[in-house]
Amino acid sequence: MTSGKYPQPPIPSGKKFDAIVVGSGISGGWSAKELCEKGLNVLLLERGRMIEHVSDYHTATMNPWDFPNRNQAMPLDELKKYPVQNRTGFTITEATHQHFVNDLDNPYVEEKPFDWIRGYHVGGKSLMWGRYSFRFSDLDFEANAKEGIATDWPIRYKDIAPWYDYVETFAGIAGDRDGLPQLPDGQFQPALPDNCVEAHLRQSVNGQFPDRKVISARAAHLTAPTKEQTNLGRAKCQFRNLCMRGCPYGAYFSTQSATLPAARRTKRLTVRPHSIVNSIIYDEKTGRATGVRVIDEQTHEWHEFKASIIFLNASALGSTFILMNSKSSRFPNGMDDSGQLGRNLMDHHFHVGATADYEHDLDKYYYGRHPAGLYIPRFRNLPGQPDQPFKRGYGFEVYTSRENWDHAYHDEGFGADFKEKATQFGDWKITLDAFGECMPYEDNRVYLTNDLTDKWGQPVLKMDVHYRANEALMRKDAQEQAVLMLEKAGFSNINGFDAQAHPGLSIHEMGTARMGTSPDNSVFNKFNQHHIAKNVFCTDGASMTSSPCQNPSLTYMALSARAADYAVKALKRGDIKR
């Protein structure tokens, strides 16, 4: 799809804004919204095409039979464009492929297998994310320091808790207050209801395992929209579970449905798609960044845009690429003094657990397709518990389905027999899939290489990342515990599994430009502010100091709002010069 009906805004090269935000995904949308609402004129740069809310969700209301291949197979000539994006097994379909990058145009080098799943368009992966929204706790923020691993987080839970409240209230998170210290409660709308299998698992595990608790997944779906949310055009979740296509109801949180309209109504936002940020311009005399160099994705022309403040929100590896490529006399190896830029790359290891059948309640159904299920928060290596042979922990995402559900249109046949068959469904299915923490290993790293260049002549990233013994021990325990819980709950046909997913596939990349306590151990400080170039901030996954097993997106939102507040106050004080 081209963006012909969305011409580039006429911005002269060299124009100065109050702030530039690089990347329009979950963190970039929040940075833009907050900076605009605090009175700054903001240029939001996105390397991919424009996607407008509702009008550009071209497959959102299509039925399976509306697709040439019933949304079950991609044409081979199209599939060849996605050799990496297709590794997940579910992203590249007739309904969703347009939201993922063409791998042939956007290559990288794998020293070791790394599945880099990307979406280059306005909204980024906020259109395709899993929407599970969990807070980190002091168990997570204190872990590195207590264990003497990597470097200490420069913040604690009390520093970010008010910002979790703030972003949850605006975004809309469905969940329950569960009273778990390892997974702090938040500002929730009513949780999504259980189906009969989920209710059975919850009751069985909670009754038989005092060390763990099955809870409703905390998901960014509106179940009781507030006035603020409806004023943005958002509505209650319709239980369609077609979220990756884009939601025309604005029921789940995305840049398009929430932060972008909020920023636009200030009339201080300029969005420029097709803008590949190549590097940051650093002024040796003033010791600060003055702007960014941009390659037009379509014309390959170079531009420079200037600003008093720069927020990097291009994704963990996207922001790190920009920092590495921002070389000068002061920063001959990229914008870092610590030697940590490009190091400590983390991603949750997952696809390990157990599956089973539930042969009861075959006469029961439920309304629609629930977009989120249950969650079993971390229950290993908690305070007061015996130590495990591995450090940190994992949590289980719980998925349920009905055999043959939604698949009747594939079956051959016609007439009364076909219609009768289409109304019959088999056993209920359940999957417990663990998401485990990956430790911050310094030699899990990425770096720039000219062995290969992209379509625009830029160097590309080389990935040298793998999981270690700690993750292997954690996976063994996760599979055993998943099987045990399903056995105790009376499920049948229980099968443990370990799919040995490579880093990247969980799509939760963290690290490579971490926060820390000094420029000797990190790239950014406790306010996500660059230690040296004080007007540069980074609030996406690159800045994570460790990778708690919880999904990290809510933390990116909170850090973005917090950093924007700090940056604007620093600008007004004169600590950051205009």
Side-chain angles (χ1 to χ4, degrees), residues 30-56:
W30 266 103
S31 296
K33 167 189 175 294
E34 293 299 304
L35 294 168
C36 285
E37 289 182 342
K38 294 179 188 303
L40 272 57
N41 291 311
V42 176
L43 174 62
L44 178 61
L45 297 172
E46 171 54 54
R47 67 176 293 153
R49 64 189 174 92
M50 174 65 78
I51 294 182
E52 288 288 0
H53 186 45
V54 184
S55 62
D56 284 341

Side-chain angles (χ1 to χ4, degrees), residues 391-412:
K391 296 182 184 295
R392 315 291 170 96
Y394 56 86
F396 285 105
E397 293 188 6
V398 180
Y399 320 122
T400 60
S401 62
R402 191 76 186 269
E403 193 174 36
N404 298 334
W405 191 268
D406 279 347
H407 292 286
Y409 55 85
H410 301 302
D411 295 341
E412 297 180 356

Side-chain angles (χ1 to χ4, degrees), residues 423-440:
T423 65
Q424 303 303 311
F425 304 102
D427 290 343
W428 293 96
K429 304 288 185 180
I430 188 168
T431 300
L432 274 60
D433 193 355
F435 282 67
E437 179 166 353
C438 175
M439 304 296 283

